[in-house]
Amino acid sequence: MRLTKFTDVALRVLMRLAVVKREDPPTTREVAATMQVPYSHAAKVVARLQHLGLIEARRGRGGGLTLTGAGRTASVGALVRELEEPGDAVDCEGSTPCPLRAACLLRGALREAQEAFYASLDPLTVAELAAAPTGPLLISLSSAPPPRD
């Protein structure tokens, strides 16, 4: 199964925020630079994560992004389900419907496999994603000097 870029960026943003010191919250621009994603894409992800109650975003002096308690304990499987586009792994009903759709077992098997993929991520939390060895790496990335334009 392949995740959308949006879900990938969202998980990376959450992991980055899981290792942030509360007194020094990064901005969306800083997180985008650290995670090497376009700012505009990161801004959309941040807005969605804020809407879901997983992060808080404060503007102005002393502002920045912080992970909420709900964000820290969120199930990765539930997050991926929420962030991924709904639908089956295959499109049997698209602009050219599959001639096998009435009697095909593949669609059901793929739907079951997709749910097994999500279920395998259910016990994992965002905080666990940011544990060692990932956490120290995330911290070192954030302390590296920003890339020169």
Side-chain angles (χ1 to χ4, degrees), residues 9-32:
V9 171
L11 291 172
R12 288 194 277 158
V13 166
L14 290 168
M15 290 167 62
R16 169 66 184 98
L17 294 178
V19 298
V20 168
K21 294 179 182 172
R22 205 124 169 90
E23 63 273 2
D24 191 25
T27 64
T28 302
R29 195 167 299 282
E30 290 167 344
V31 171

Side-chain angles (χ1 to χ4, degrees), residues 79-114:
L79 281 170
V80 172
R81 279 185 195 89
E82 179 68 33
L83 297 171
E84 282 296 297
E85 298 167 0
D88 290 324
V90 293
D91 185 11
C92 301
E93 307 294 334
S95 58
T96 309
C98 176
L100 304 175
R101 70 186 180 279
C104 181
L105 299 175
L106 179 62
R107 185 179 190 179
L110 289 174
R111 186 179 298 131
E112 201 172 297
Q114 184 178 23

Side-chain angles (χ1 to χ4, degrees), residues 17-136:
L17 294 178
V19 298
V20 168
K21 294 179 182 172
R22 205 124 169 90
E23 63 273 2
D24 191 25
T27 64
T28 302
R29 195 167 299 282
E30 290 167 344
V31 171
T34 301
M35 296 290 93
Q36 299 180 354
V37 297
Y39 169 75
S40 59
H41 200 69
K44 290 176 188 173
V45 165
V46 164
R48 180 77 187 277
L49 294 174
Q50 186 178 12
H51 176 75
L52 293 173
L54 303 174
I55 65 172
E56 291 178 356
R58 289 182 309 271
R59 295 179 181 249
R61 189 178 179 129
L65 305 174
T66 55
L67 192 62
T68 65
R72 188 168 301 285
T73 61
S75 159
V76 175
L79 281 170
V80 172
R81 279 185 195 89
E82 179 68 33
L83 297 171
E84 282 296 297
E85 298 167 0
D88 290 324
V90 293
D91 185 11
C92 301
E93 307 294 334
S95 58
T96 309
C98 176
L100 304 175
R101 70 186 180 279
C104 181
L105 299 175
L106 179 62
R107 185 179 190 179
L110 289 174
R111 186 179 298 131
E112 201 172 297
Q114 184 178 23
E115 182 49 39
F117 171 76
Y118 294 144
S120 70
L121 296 173
D122 281 339
L124 190 60
T125 67
V126 170
E128 291 170 330
L129 286 180
T134 307

